């Protein structure tokens, strides 16, 4: 029984790591065992280091948001606000209704000797407590801005100091050795590309793709920070710059440099093989998403230029009275931010932020 299970596991393992699928002709996994050109080749087991590294980065993020980002938010005047506590209203909110009708409002008004309008305001602010406050979003954006900027600068330094920076074709020539549904597809494609490109020793293409994606991310986070701090003009300016960088890198450099090399030049150098179709298919999926996001971004940036108004964050939406809504409709200018759903419609691979139209 144990022998049969071991044999089945061996067959499955061999199928998963089939050289016919992953590697070009005349290349085997054994070719990766020794150092090449003075450097060690990637190993599949290196991927396991992702988990402790992720835990370490998460710990750094917690410390950064608490001891650096939060004081900065308080310094620019962002406060962690909420409704003042009231035991009676809290009990009604939690156990009876979050949207009291007129009759209940009148009863609570008599019981507390409060104006009905004041009670409505309390319930509105209490409902909004379940949404991320501006302070939280500022801290999140400041962390992402810092992280993306550092990663991008490191990537540029790494690429610039590498001998293959000026000729991406060398990465192929030197082989042996890249709404919720949209974001779900995007994350699957990017995780697959990062993992497979490393295991398959296509790290040069993978590094260039990640560097291109990182080029605009920190600008988006900088625009969010300006929005939360209520620097509207700076927010609009940064968002327009972000839009330009996004379009140039993902509709210009990415297809005409990266995809041109991975499709046409690699076809001439080594020819197609099974995993070649997988990698290029994932890269094409990213390009389709780039087109969709670019359309959304350009539309919002155009509005910012024409009307001086960048659309706000879905998570920033708060319930307001009819008077407040009238004022907001006519006068408010809000610069967008992040949301956990469909966020990267404009932010590409990063995860959890997007600009939604008002």
């Amino acid at each position: 029984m144990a022998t049969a299970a071991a044999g089945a596991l061996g067959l499955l393992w061999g199928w998963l790591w089939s050289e016919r699928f992953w590697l070009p002709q005349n290349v085997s996994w054994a070719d990766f065992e020794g150092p090449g050109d003075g450097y060690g080749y990637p190993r599949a087991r290196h991927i396991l280091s992702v988990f402790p590294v992720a835990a370490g980065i998460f710990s750094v993020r917690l410390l950064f948001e608490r001891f650096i980002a939060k004081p900065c938010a308080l310094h620019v005047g962002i406060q962690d606000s909420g409704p003042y506590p009231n035991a009676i209203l809290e009990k009604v909110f939690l156990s009876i209704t979050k949207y009291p009708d007129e009759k209940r409002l009148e009863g609570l008004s008599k019981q507390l000797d409060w104006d009905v309008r004041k009670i409505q305001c309390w319930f509105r602010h209490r409902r909004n407590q379940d949404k991320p406050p501006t302070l939280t979003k500022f801290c999140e954006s400041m962390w992402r801005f810092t992280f993306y900027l550092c990663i991008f600068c490191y990537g540029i330094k790494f690429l610039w100091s590498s001998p293959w920076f000026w000729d991406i074709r060398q990465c192929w020539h030197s082989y042996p050795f890249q709404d919720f549904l949209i974001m779900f597809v995007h994350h699957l494609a990017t995780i697959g590309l990062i993992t497979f490109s490393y295991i398959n020793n296509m790290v040069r293409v993978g590094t260039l793709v990640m560097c291109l994606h990182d080029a605009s991310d920190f600008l988006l986070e900088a625009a969010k920070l300006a929005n939360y701090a209520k620097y509207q003009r700076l927010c609009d300016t940064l968002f327009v710059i972000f839009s330009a960088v996004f379009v140039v890198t993902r509709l210009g450099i990415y297809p005409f440099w990266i995809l041109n090399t991975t499709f046409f030049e690699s076809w001439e150098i080594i020819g197609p093989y099974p995993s070649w179709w997988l990698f290029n298919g994932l890269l094409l999926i990213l390009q389709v998403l780039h087109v969709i996001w670019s359309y959304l971004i350009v539309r919002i940036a155009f509005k910012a230029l024409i009307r001086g108004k960048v659309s706000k964050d879905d998570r920033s939406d708060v319930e307001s009275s009819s008077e407040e809504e009238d004022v907001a409709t006519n006068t408010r200018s809000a610069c967008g931010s992040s949301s956990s759903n469909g966020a990267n419609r404009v932010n590409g691979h990063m995860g959890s932020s997007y600009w939604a139209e008002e």
Side-chain angles (χ1 to χ4, degrees):
M1 183 71 176
T3 304
L9 185 60
L11 289 174
L12 176 62
W13 190 254
W15 176 79
L16 288 175
W17 295 102
S18 170
E19 292 177 347
R20 283 189 59 191
F21 178 81
W22 290 109
L23 304 175
Q25 293 181 357
N26 303 321
V27 178
S28 68
W29 293 116
D31 295 326
F32 295 164
E33 292 302 320
D37 300 327
Y39 299 96
Y41 287 132
R43 300 285 192 277
R45 62 177 178 271
H46 294 169
I47 298 297
L48 297 176
S49 63
V50 166
F51 299 102
V53 169
I57 292 177
F58 181 72
S59 301
V60 172
R61 173 180 177 169
L62 293 178
L63 295 174
F64 178 91
E65 290 186 358
R66 176 162 185 174
F67 296 107
I68 298 179
K70 187 173 181 179
C72 289
L74 297 175
H75 180 71
V76 297
I78 297 175
Q79 300 294 330
D80 195 1
S81 59
Y84 39 86
N86 185 285
I88 296 176
L89 296 181
E90 185 71 20
K91 183 177 180 180
V92 173
F93 182 87
L94 294 176
S95 59
I96 301 177
T97 179
K98 298 179 180 180
Y99 298 88
D101 54 24
E102 185 176 349
K103 184 177 180 180
R104 189 174 299 279
L105 286 172
E106 291 177 355
L108 291 171
S109 177
K110 294 177 181 178
Q111 183 178 357
L112 296 172
D113 194 24
W114 282 16
D115 184 81
V116 170
R117 177 81 172 176
K118 185 177 180 181
I119 296 175
Q120 287 177 324
C121 183
W122 189 96
F123 274 92
R124 184 173 64 253
H125 285 295
R126 182 61 181 84
R127 289 192 294 267
N128 288 332
Q129 244 187 340
D130 296 333
K131 301 178 182 179
T134 301
L135 179 64
T136 298
K137 292 188 291 184
F138 182 95
C139 293
E140 291 175 355
S141 290
M142 188 169 180
W143 161 254
R144 287 195 293 267
F145 168 78
T146 305
F147 181 79
Y148 294 157
L149 181 59
C150 291
I151 290 298
F152 176 68
C153 292
Y154 175 79
I156 289 294
K157 178 177 180 296
F158 177 76
L159 290 172
W160 189 269
S161 62
S162 299
W164 42 267
F165 173 74
W166 300 107
D167 189 0
I168 189 175
R169 289 176 295 180
Q170 180 66 17
C171 85
W172 296 99
H173 183 68
S174 61
Y175 206 95
F177 0 160
Q178 169 179 201
D179 142 46
F180 174 80
L181 180 61
I182 291 179
M183 284 312 305
F184 182 71
V185 171
H186 175 266
H187 288 314
L188 286 180
T190 50
I191 291 173
L193 282 170
I194 291 171
T195 304
F196 297 149
S197 66
Y198 185 85
I199 293 175
N200 220 25
N201 201 18
M202 295 181 180
V203 291
R204 296 173 177 179
V205 175
T207 303
L208 285 168
V209 171
M210 288 192 292
C211 189
L212 281 180
H213 281 71
D214 290 338
S216 59
D217 290 343
F218 69 91
L219 293 170
L220 177 64
E221 300 305 327
K224 295 178 192 176
L225 292 175
N227 170 61
Y228 298 141
K230 301 188 185 304
Y231 299 142
Q232 184 61 40
R233 189 178 298 276
L234 176 61
C235 170
D236 293 343
T237 301
L238 288 171
F239 184 77
V240 171
I241 296 173
F242 156 77
S243 304
V245 174
F246 188 98
V247 171
V248 169
T249 55
R250 305 197 191 192
L251 295 188
I253 299 176
Y254 181 82
F256 293 107
W257 186 24
I258 303 295
L259 292 185
N260 177 64
T261 296
T262 61
F263 268 92
F264 303 108
E265 295 179 5
S266 68
W267 184 295
E268 296 175 359
I269 295 172
I270 59 176
Y273 50 97
S275 66
W276 182 94
W277 295 101
L278 172 63
F279 292 135
N280 282 292
L282 292 174
L283 290 172
L284 276 179
I285 289 174
L286 287 185
Q287 183 57 40
V288 171
L289 296 177
H290 293 165
V291 173
I292 296 173
W293 292 326
S294 295
Y295 165 74
L296 296 172
I297 291 171
V298 170
R299 188 171 62 176
I300 298 172
F302 182 76
K303 178 189 293 186
L305 289 172
I306 301 302
R307 298 168 51 189
K309 185 176 187 178
V310 174
S311 300
K312 63 181 179 178
D313 177 1
D314 272 356
R315 295 192 314 174
S316 299
D317 290 342
V318 293
E319 300 173 67
S320 57
S321 66
S322 57
E323 293 178 5
E324 291 169 333
E325 288 171 349
D326 290 339
V327 172
T329 301
N330 293 321
T331 65
R332 186 176 59 188
S333 181
C335 187
S337 168
S338 66
S339 170
S340 57
N341 233 6
N344 285 329
R345 273 189 252 176
V346 299
N347 197 23
H349 63 289
M350 328 174 341
S352 68
S353 7
Y354 86 108
W355 300 68
E357 282 198 281
E358 278 184 275

